[in-house]
């Protein structure tokens, strides 16, 4: 089955790299989207796909963004991965995304969890740059703020200080259909 394991990003001054790790067979096709616009390779965007693990049909899909200012890097980047049959007929699609709200803040959105197995555990991680402050990280499902609820299979981890960044992990599980949905995290630097 087709799945997206992660969508992450790194920023180095005016260059951003978005990496989308996916697994699927037959061969996968990737479409990169920014703020609802399909991206094509040009002087601002370059895209590549490499096989990370041939036995597991795992692919590393990379989008490089070259901005003229840091504001050019802001937005929602989606990695749409499609499995195709030999006649280019779509048999499965998965979508993952990362939203860069502002330099130093990160909001992660996973739009599908239907590829995770019922009964398994699923972790989402949110990392925020400190920027000299003390960040507060909040996880939400749709617009509802999440708190730890072991009966519902929701565990919001404690903040982990990693030097220049702080991260909080959201653990869902054992998974059941009520976990399906859109999750996001926001980071506020105080």
């Amino acid at each position: 089955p087709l799945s997206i394991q992660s969508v992450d990003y790194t920023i180095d001054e005016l260059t951003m790299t978005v990496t989308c790790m996916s697994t699927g067979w037959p061969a996968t096709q990737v479409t990169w989207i920014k703020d609802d616009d399909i991206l094509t390779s040009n002087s601002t965007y370059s895209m590549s796909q490499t096989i990370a693990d041939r036995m597991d049909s795992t692919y590393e899909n990379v989008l490089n963004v070259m901005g003229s200012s840091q504001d050019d890097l802001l937005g929602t980047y989606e990695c749409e991965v499609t499995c195709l049959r030999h006649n280019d007929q779509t048999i499965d699609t998965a979508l993952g995304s990362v939203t860069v709200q502002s330099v130093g803040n990160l909001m992660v959105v996973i739009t599908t969890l239907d590829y995770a197995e019922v009964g398994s555990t699923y972790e989402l991680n949110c990392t925020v740059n400190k920027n000299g402050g003390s960040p507060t990280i909040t996880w939400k499902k749709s617009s509802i703020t999440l708190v730890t609820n072991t009966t519902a299979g929701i565990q919001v981890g404690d903040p982990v200080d990693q030097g220049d960044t702080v991260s909080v992990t959201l653990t869902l599980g054992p998974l059941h259909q009520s976990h399906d949905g859109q999750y996001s995290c926001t980071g506020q630097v105080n």
Side-chain angles (χ1 to χ4, degrees):
L2 177 64
S3 67
I4 294 179
Q5 282 76 43
S6 64
V7 183
D8 299 306
Y9 84 99
T10 58
I11 294 179
D12 182 17
E13 299 198 15
L14 298 179
T15 303
M16 180 170 64
T17 301
V18 184
T19 304
C20 173
M21 298 298 292
S22 63
T23 302
W25 183 257
T28 61
Q29 174 180 310
V30 176
T31 302
W32 285 99
I33 303 162
K34 179 183 180 193
D35 297 331
D36 298 324
D37 293 326
I38 294 175
L39 302 179
T40 58
S41 292
N42 55 35
S43 61
T44 303
Y45 305 106
S46 66
M47 300 147 207
S48 65
Q49 182 184 62
T50 57
I51 298 173
D53 186 329
R54 189 175 301 278
M55 294 297 291
D56 290 335
S57 301
T58 301
Y59 297 88
E60 180 181 59
N61 308 289
V62 176
L63 170 68
N64 290 303
V65 183
M66 285 66 71
S68 56
S69 74
Q70 288 188 335
D71 285 346
D72 292 342
L73 305 179
L74 303 181
T76 299
Y77 296 86
E78 296 176 299
C79 170
E80 183 181 73
V81 181
T82 306
C83 276
L84 303 174
R85 288 200 171 120
H86 68 280
N87 58 358
D88 290 337
Q89 179 183 3
T90 300
I91 57 173
D92 203 359
T93 300
L95 184 70
S97 67
V98 62
T99 299
V100 181
Q101 292 179 316
S102 64
V103 175
N105 292 327
L106 167 68
M107 178 177 152
V108 179
V109 180
I110 306 296
T111 56
T112 57
L113 284 180
D114 59 349
Y115 57 85
E117 288 186 33
V118 171
S120 66
T121 300
Y122 194 86
E123 288 187 354
L124 301 169
N125 187 54
C126 180
T127 302
V128 177
N129 293 336
K130 286 184 182 177
N131 287 343
S134 177
T136 302
I137 298 173
T138 305
W139 278 101
K140 292 185 178 187
K141 179 179 179 186
S142 299
S143 60
I144 300 168
T145 300
L146 297 174
V147 295
T148 296
N149 180 336
T150 53
T151 304
I154 298 170
Q155 174 71 41
V156 179
D158 292 327
V160 177
D161 190 317
Q162 300 170 317
D164 293 337
T165 63
V166 172
S167 66
V168 172
T169 300
L170 173 66
T171 304
L172 304 173
L175 289 177
H176 44 83
Q177 287 187 335
S178 67
H179 287 113
D180 189 27
Q182 187 173 21
Y183 292 83
S184 64
C185 78
T186 55
Q188 288 293 113
V189 179
N190 304 322

